[in-house]
Amino acid sequence: MCLRFRRVVLFFPFIWTLVASAAPLRFCADPDNLPFSNRESRGFDNQIAVLVAHAVRREPVFVWTRNGRGFIREQFNRNTCDVLMSVPEQMRGVLTTAAYYHSAYVFVTRKREHLQIASFDDPRLNGRKIGLQALEDNLSPPSLALIRTGHAAQLVGMNSFGAHGGDIMRAVAEGRLGTAVVWGPLAGYFTKQNHLALTLTPVDPLVDVSGIPFSFSIAMAVHKRDERLRDELNEALAKLQPRISELIAAFNVPTLPMREPQ
Amino acid sequence: MQSVQNGGLRLVFIGILLAVASAGCRKKVQNVEQPASMGGQIHPYDGAIEKDDGQWVRATKDYANTRYSSLDEINTGNVANLKVSWTFNTGVPRGQEAAPIVVNNTMYVVAPWPNKLFALDLTKPGAPLKWSFDPNPSRAAKGEACCDWVNRGAVYADGKIIYNTLDGFTIALDAESGKLLWRTHLADISKGETITMAPMVVRDKVFVGNSGGEYGVRGWIAALGTKDGKLIWQAYSTGPDKDVLIGDKFKPFYSSDKGTDLGVKTWPPDAWRIGGGTVWGFLSYDASTNLIYYGTANPGPWNPEVRPGDNKWTSGVFARDADTGQAVWFYQMSSHDLYDWDGINENILLDLPWQGSKRKVLVRADRNGYIYVIDRTTGQVLSATLYVYSTTTTGVDLQTGALQRDLSKAPKTGQEIRNICPTAPGAKDWQPSSFSPRTGLLYIPHENMCADEEAEEANYIQGTPYVGVTDRFYAGPGGNEGELMAWDPVAGKKVWTVADKYPLWSGTLATAGDVVFYGTMDGWFRAANARTGQTLWQFKTGSGIIGQPVTYRGPDGKQYVAILSGIGGWPGAIVAGNLDTRDGNAAGGWGNALSDLKNVTTPGGTLYVFALP
């Protein structure tokens, strides 16, 4: 009994080092939020996570979480995982990596109408129901420009997560909405996935006169003091960027040229 | 690199300075009694009060929501001798908002998520555990609940204990054995719905409403059969009349509430589908008219500019037939709410002398800063009196029922607005008041807070970037964030107040011993003289108090007082969730106001039961 116990003690530091060097890299990921991630790891962020983890010689592990309000404070900051995917570059409260894609909110119109609305000042917006993603207690940022241009009463907020991901796109295709302003990755993915005859036009200009941005450089995030991991990920991202861009393009995500880091 | 480190150090240094400064302030503002008559008067109540059996079978004590007990063994003369009799640990160090339920010599306590229910045997020394029930709720629910993982308690009826779980179930247990009798799934967490409220039973029906107003859900109240848990009726707070159960019986007092399908027409197209108006407060019931009364929460989305219109039927009070759910009247305290002013606060049913006659009224201290006295048979507002400092409104028009606003304080896109009083949690949040027929006074625990709304910043939800508004809360005039107030509902005036450094987030309990019990966020459980506000006794519990005090007669014939201690809830999440208070926006704006709360209390989850030696 005593002998066995001693052996365990002796071996413990050795085992611990082995495990530590091979500690898996934990990514917080939503179990049902395509095109970003799902439990079957089919989202582009799932696939990019695997690429990046292997590049830093760690095993990728997904921690399935829904990231509602307070997620950063209540889960990420309590070390639920090491890395967040698809967060806006320079977001407060976390340390962000270099951006790995740059997308924008897009106007969604029916192809056969040949509208290609791009501006919130476009008079053809008048009288149309305008769909927006409802994000918890907010509507997406284009709501602010639409209020400014007098379209508040036309706004229709729609849940666009999980099983409802494609609803807003279908609603435009089927004429239940006159148009919609949707975050690029979601709009691109569901247009392709559901073979919808829709035109996607990035919002123009990309920054509202009030200063509200409509395009975002999207990065990964690590814990505030995890500069080492951030640096490792940046190195991996730089190396993998061509493959990442290819992958994102395969999901039909409308992208803009990458901006220089600010 | 160097400069970043310096910045960090400076932050820490400033943090220390602030903590010292506020510790200095605390002496000044904490527990300052203002016993001098502030215009209101004590005049014994001559209306009827429900018969008291010495138990506590529902959170509100009686159907009228008085939270008054006729027990007087503990009174102003001896309360100073009150001692801890026994304690019980819920095992969950999160916000404890539940009222312990006492019936047939057993006490039932619901813990925060994962929502275990404990039955304690009051006949034995130390009240040992009789049984416990584990509902095994979904883990996902914690991520959906806006304001900590709270539960406001169970209800007893007809041999059953009935309560709700955060992941959206209503559960009935055999009160004696703890055996599961039925379980009904009502709220869908994948849509952001949760349940936190204490259900209420009238005869063979139990009433339950949903939470999740911050998550783009549509509010409802449902009636289930107590026998089998089957849904009998469900009434939504938005949408077409048939969904709201508005029919021939509906006779609102004000013209702004008259018309067809106002739950659709007072919104932009389809916005009512995610329009909020959840039902998470306490219900009242008047047996003489068979009406239930409850408030509806704020409309969504939070930004009012995207939902032009009155946004019916949010931030108002409904009177409904208890059997059919059909609406009888509705009154909207805050039409087109601008500040997240839920209308869920409790409605206390009283029969008050009013200009020479006796009126059946309901009295409510609303989030918008007004105490309303409303004729509960018609929905007519008899008076609406401001009880806090306000920069956002100028009064209530009794001809139209409309809240008069100062629109310079209305949130506008891209604009910073300062000195918004009261704040989002309002002049008073869910924490329930009590009423003593011996003094005719209401004992109202509430906040004294203002806020700045600041610039928007980038954030994200599940891969989609958005821009959020930052709220910072701080104390209103006087420097105290909370106040216990004794209120004369007839004169519409304060009688006395007790200031507290922190918002008062616990309920109050009034007894025939002329004692008012309440708790503070830094953990004091206090007994105040119901006539003067003077603190007669206090006990420091292990954590901050945001629960509901109750009292009962034990099997030994003695009077006991019970309270759960455990900081949490919307403001207390600062401590329970260990949030970073350097982020002034933490816990939806509370980070700034409660920056030192973490230094004065720690998470807990303990029931304290007191008695005279």
Side-chain angles (χ1 to χ4, degrees), chain B residues 302-330:
Chain B
W302 205 333
N303 182 347
E305 291 170 289
V306 304
R307 45 176 170 79
D310 274 357
N311 308 145
K312 305 281 181 201
W313 308 89
T314 62
S315 294
V317 181
F318 266 116
R320 291 185 185 276
D321 183 281
D323 289 319
T324 63
Q326 286 292 318
V328 172
W329 59 258
F330 173 86

Side-chain angles (χ1 to χ4, degrees), chain B residues 346-361:
Chain B
E346 73 283 0
N347 298 298
I348 300 177
L349 310 188
L350 301 172
D351 298 339
L352 292 182
W354 204 263
Q355 293 168 353
S357 65
K358 176 85 64 85
R359 298 287 285 262
K360 286 171 172 289
V361 301

Side-chain angles (χ1 to χ4, degrees), chain B residues 73-75 78-83 558-560 610-613:
Chain B
E73 187 199 356
I74 299 167
N75 54 49
N78 60 20
V79 68
N81 302 324
L82 214 54
K83 297 277 183 304
K558 282 173 67 169
Q559 183 184 357
Y560 291 85
F610 301 90
L612 293 171

Side-chain angles (χ1 to χ4, degrees), chain A residues 30 33 36 65-75 77-78 84-89 91-92 101 105 129 133-141 143-145 147 152-159 161 164 176 183 185-186 210 212-213 216 218 224-225 227, chain B residues 1 4 94 140 142-146 148-149 189-191 213-216 268-271 274 301-303 305-308 413-414 456-470 570 573 575-580 582-588:
Chain A
D30 193 292
N33 188 31
F36 307 100
T65 46
R66 308 216 83 171
N67 55 0
R69 193 200 312 198
F71 167 80
I72 299 279
R73 293 182 298 256
E74 301 237 340
Q75 302 212 37
N77 288 353
R78 292 171 150 206
L84 302 179
M85 306 286 290
S86 282
V87 305
E89 199 180 26
M91 191 172 82
R92 267 182 53 175
Y101 63 97
Y105 279 89
K129 280 190 186 180
Q133 290 165 265
L135 305 163
E136 298 192 343
D137 55 342
N138 295 276
L139 293 181
S140 59
S143 63
L144 303 169
I147 293 163
Q154 295 158 251
L155 303 184
V156 179
M158 291 186 71
N159 179 351
F161 296 117
H164 299 286
R176 281 177 284 127
W183 175 234
L186 198 92
S210 66
I212 303 283
F216 293 84
I218 300 297
K224 265 188 208 161
R225 289 183 187 82
E227 288 170 9
Chain B
M1 203 54 221
V4 170
R94 282 272 163 179
K142 336 179 261 184
E144 302 289 355
C146 84
D148 205 6
W149 309 338
I189 52 168
S190 74
K191 286 197 288 191
E214 323 311 325
Y215 291 83
D270 292 329
I274 53 166
W302 205 333
N303 182 347
E305 291 170 289
V306 304
R307 45 176 170 79
T413 297
E456 291 103 349
E457 61 181 52
N459 209 322
Y460 84 115
I461 297 284
Q462 299 175 336
T464 302
Y466 72 98
V467 177
V469 174
T470 308
W570 186 9
V575 177
N578 194 26
L579 307 187
D580 187 347
R582 283 173 302 177
D583 172 5
N585 193 32

Side-chain angles (χ1 to χ4, degrees), chain B residues 166-325:
Chain B
L166 192 64
D167 64 338
F169 288 83
T170 300
I171 291 175
L173 306 173
D174 181 279
E176 196 49 43
S177 68
K179 196 179 131 235
L180 177 69
L181 299 175
W182 51 259
R183 179 202 295 251
T184 301
H185 190 207
L186 283 172
D188 183 354
I189 52 168
S190 74
K191 286 197 288 191
E193 287 181 287
T194 57
I195 309 183
T196 58
M197 56 95 77
M200 187 184 72
V201 171
V202 173
R203 291 189 300 275
D204 58 348
K205 292 182 190 69
V206 56
F207 304 103
V208 179
N210 64 346
S211 309
E214 323 311 325
Y215 291 83
V217 312
R218 186 181 174 205
W220 48 257
I221 182 172
L224 309 178
T226 53
K227 199 176 267 176
D228 52 14
K230 289 223 171 79
L231 184 69
I232 295 167
W233 55 258
Q234 187 168 23
Y236 285 89
S237 305
T238 68
D241 285 353
K242 66 173 170 40
D243 290 9
V244 187
L245 301 190
I246 284 179
D248 300 342
K249 279 194 167 175
F250 188 56
K251 302 273 185 297
F253 191 83
Y254 297 102
S255 58
S256 56
D257 297 313
K258 293 172 185 165
T260 311
D261 291 333
L262 296 184
V264 172
K265 291 175 184 163
T266 58
W267 295 88
D270 292 329
W272 56 270
R273 293 180 193 276
I274 53 166
T278 52
V279 180
W280 55 276
F282 299 100
L283 283 86
S284 322
Y285 173 67
D286 183 344
S288 71
T289 51
N290 198 37
L291 296 182
I292 55 167
Y293 302 93
Y294 67 92
T296 58
N298 57 295
W302 205 333
N303 182 347
E305 291 170 289
V306 304
R307 45 176 170 79
D310 274 357
N311 308 145
K312 305 281 181 201
W313 308 89
T314 62
S315 294
V317 181
F318 266 116
R320 291 185 185 276
D321 183 281
D323 289 319
T324 63

